[in-house]
Every structure is written in C-alpha cells, then in structure tokens.
Amino acid sequence: MIVYVNELLTMPNFSLNKIPIGVRYMLMSALAFALMSSCVKLVHTYGIPVFEIVAARAIVSLLISYADVKRKGICVWGNNRKLLLTRGVTGSLALICVYYAVSTLPLAEATILQYLNPVFTAILAILFLKEKIHITTIICIFCSIIGLVLMVGSGLTLDHVQQLPLFSIGIALLGAFGSGVSYIIVKRLSITEDSSVIILYFPLIALPLSVILLGNDFVMPSKEALGLLLFVGIFTQFGQVGLTKAMKTEVASKATAYSYIQVVFSIVLGWLVFSEVPSVWTLAGGTMIIVGALVNVIGSLRAQKTLKV
C-alpha cells in the first residue's frame, strides 16, 4: 500500500485533472453529504423533527430538479418509471434512516455506520449488475473496513455501546443497506435515464412520504433553523448530482468505494462544529480510509493507461 501511495504522489506532472472524472464527482458528493449531515444535526437542535427535515430537503430538491429537467427539455417522467419509483422509495426510506441516525448519534459514529454501504453496494453489484471487482477496489474496501474497525473499536467499547441508542444503531445500518440498494438502482437507471430525471424522482417520493409520517408534529422553524433547512436541501442536491454522475462514469463498486471519504469529512466537521474531538484511533482509522482511496485512484489511473496502450 505504501508503494501505491508513493507512486501516486511521485507521478510526473500529477494533478487533479488526472483523477478520473467519476472519482472527482464522488469526492464532491461525499463532501456535500458531510456538510448536509452537519446541517441536519444542527437543525435538529432547534427541535425540528426528522420527518420535517426530510420534507424540507425534498421541497428544495424538487424545485431544483424540476427546473433542471425543464431546462434540458426532457420528459419529467422518464422511461423506466417502475424502476424510477423503486429508486425513489428505497432512497427515501434510506434517507429517513440516515437523518434519524445523524440526529440521535454523534456525527462521526452515525457516518461510520452509514458508510458501510459501499460494502453492500459491491456485493449487490456482483449479484445484480454482474460487475467484476478489481483488486484495487478490494484493497480500498479492505483498508476502509480496517479503518472503520479502528475508529469504532476505540469508541464503541462494551461500555460505550450501552450509552449509544441501540435502536439508532440499527436504523443507521438499515440506512446503509438502503443506500447500497439505491446506488445499484441508480447504476441500472443511468443506462436509459438522464441524471436529472433520476434525481427528480427522489423528492417526488420523499416529500409526500415524509409529510404523511410527520402528521401533526410540525414545528414552525426559526430564521436560523429555516436557513439550515435550506442548506440541507442545497448540499443534498450537490451530493445527489455528484453521486449520479459518478455512478454513470464508473462501475458501482469502484465509485462508491470513494464515498468512504465522507467519514473523514464528518470527523473534521464534528470537531469544528460540534467540538467532537477525535481520538488517536479515530485518526488512525481515517488515515487507513485515505490510503484505501489513494490505492483505488492508482488502480483507476493504471487501468486508463492500459486502455490507451
């Protein structure tokens, strides 16, 4: 692994432009989702229910997505409507789980549990998309899992587990699995559907579903909370665009492997915004995740070089 990292850093004329476009989209998506999670956690401190946060996010995303579809002059409803609806349902349920976990768990722990989804995605890609997993992707996932173990192993000791809501941990895992399912569906849809249409179906389902589940628990947000809700929608839209475009240009298992970097982003934001100081084990785990991502970058660059030859 050290050889891989050293090779990347010492490549002649290495620049961000040499990183595959799909990887850049996924990194952008990871940062946007990390910022979104921070806003979700912040707005929850104002007493805003999770379903209301989901509904607010869906409204912003619906307006932006609809405007984008109309700008492109394409059909709003797409071609494979059944699969688009399925993506909307699975994505909405996963989002509710993720928001609940972020609101009830420390940011780092919630993100760590959520980002087990690349493992689910890789397995599902083999079963349903018949994709081959390259050795660098396996190394990336392996390094990331080790990083997660290092980070969780120090914080989620037996004593600490008793302090964390076990229900929230279970919901976070369901959210991770749902995200993996959604990624696979997005990959399949990207063959026949425009990315804007795929993104549009998400708020089309999430908005009515969250409003129904919210019921009579609506809380009138303050100006600060309203601003945070707006940013939740904006950052989510950036994340969705990056994710959808990444899945369209990279194989599912390789693209989502880079989503692990959101764990690192969340650790930094948790420290800056919520004063959650990471432990040495957390930093060690984050380093392993970065190493895994760099290994995957090298593998992608090598593959491109081989194809050109």
Side-chain angles (χ1 to χ4, degrees):
M1 287 184 290
I2 295 176
V3 174
Y4 277 130
V5 176
N6 183 65
E7 180 177 341
L8 175 66
L9 298 177
T10 58
M11 286 180 64
N13 301 320
F14 176 77
S15 67
L16 290 177
N17 291 331
K18 290 191 176 183
I19 298 178
I21 186 66
V23 175
R24 279 183 276 167
Y25 276 129
M26 184 54 79
L27 294 177
M28 179 193 79
S29 174
L31 177 58
F33 282 136
L35 290 169
M36 175 271 294
S37 296
S38 297
C39 289
V40 168
K41 193 171 183 67
L42 277 173
V43 77
H44 189 67
T45 62
Y46 286 85
I48 306 298
V50 171
F51 294 127
E52 187 174 338
I53 299 174
V54 173
R57 170 263 162 110
I59 291 173
V60 175
S61 182
L62 182 61
L63 293 175
I64 296 175
S65 299
Y66 182 75
D68 192 40
V69 169
K70 298 302 289 184
R71 178 184 63 82
K72 292 182 177 180
I74 56 181
C75 178
V76 174
W77 306 112
N79 300 308
N80 194 340
R81 297 178 184 178
K82 289 184 178 180
L83 196 57
L84 283 166
L85 284 171
T86 303
R87 184 271 185 271
V89 172
T90 57
S92 298
L93 293 175
L95 178 70
I96 291 172
C97 291
V98 169
Y99 277 16
Y100 182 86
V102 168
S103 300
T104 56
L105 292 171
L107 188 60
E109 278 86 344
T111 305
I112 288 169
L113 292 171
Q114 173 194 348
Y115 271 81
L116 289 172
N117 71 70
V119 177
F120 294 127
T121 302
I123 296 173
L124 292 170
I126 295 174
L127 296 176
F128 297 103
L129 300 182
K130 309 302 180 183
E131 290 186 355
K132 294 181 179 179
I133 299 184
H134 299 288
I135 183 63
T136 50
T137 302
I138 296 175
I139 294 174
C140 176
I141 293 177
F142 180 72
C143 289
S144 298
I145 290 175
I146 291 178
L148 292 177
V149 170
L150 288 173
M151 296 165 70
V152 174
S154 61
L156 298 183
T157 60
L158 291 178
D159 292 336
H160 191 47
V161 166
Q162 295 175 357
Q163 298 174 9
L164 291 174
L166 294 180
F167 181 77
S168 297
I169 294 175
I171 291 297
L173 293 175
L174 284 176
F177 178 76
S179 296
V181 174
S182 294
Y183 292 158
I184 294 300
I185 296 176
V186 167
K187 182 63 178 179
R188 178 68 62 85
L189 285 171
S190 65
I191 300 174
T192 59
E193 308 294 339
D194 186 89
S195 60
S196 297
V197 174
I198 298 174
I199 295 171
L200 176 63
Y201 264 80
F202 193 90
L204 277 177
I205 302 300
L207 180 56
L209 180 62
S210 58
V211 169
I212 292 172
L213 294 174
L214 178 62
N216 297 322
D217 295 332
F218 175 80
V219 174
M220 181 60 68
S222 62
K223 291 183 180 179
E224 293 81 4
L226 190 60
L228 288 171
L229 287 172
L230 180 62
F231 277 117
V232 167
I234 293 174
F235 286 135
T236 301
Q237 191 70 12
F238 276 111
Q240 286 290 332
V241 170
L243 169 63
T244 304
K245 289 185 176 295
M247 296 297 282
K248 196 168 186 176
T249 56
E250 291 281 348
V251 296
S253 57
K254 180 176 283 291
T256 53
Y258 285 95
S259 64
Y260 273 121
I261 201 68
Q262 184 183 336
V263 176
V264 179
F265 292 147
S266 295
I267 291 173
V268 175
L269 290 172
W271 172 52
L272 293 175
V273 180
F274 304 102
S275 299
E276 298 173 351
V277 180
S279 66
V280 174
W281 289 104
T282 298
L283 295 176
T287 301
M288 286 298 298
I289 293 171
I290 294 175
V291 169
L294 291 174
V295 169
N296 213 1
V297 169
I298 288 294
S300 183
L301 293 175
R302 282 181 167 179
Q304 285 188 347
K305 185 177 180 180
T306 301
L307 289 175
K308 290 180 180 180
V309 174

